[in-house]
Amino acid sequence: MSGKRLSGSGGTHIEIDDDWTLEDIEEFFCWGDEARKYWDSNHSDDVKTIEVKGSKGQTYKVTKTGPSWNCECRGFAYRRDCKHIQNLKILIGA
């Protein structure tokens, strides 16, 4: 080992001093959804959801969170993209 003392959370590690307490360490790590905006570049408080009809009459929720799109359909689950999202992008000019 390098002789350094590290503390980590969720794949992020910081070097700590020998005299640090757990309270000192917790100041450097954010917990929960509120903290996502500090480390997740795709996080956005701007969330829009719309229900769309599929070609066979099913209804799917398409959600746009910041720059990221998501759909409940099976096509999105396999390809991370689908015709519902593509059609909405065309409709809104995204």
Side-chain angles (χ1 to χ4, degrees), residues 13 38-39 47 55 57 60 64 75:
H13 294 83
Y38 298 107
W39 58 264
V47 178
S55 57
Y60 301 106
K64 183 178 185 296

Side-chain angles (χ1 to χ4, degrees), residues 53-60 83-84:
K53 281 252 191 219
S55 57
K56 296 183 176 121
Q58 313 91 314
T59 301
Y60 301 106
K83 60 185 176 183
H84 312 112

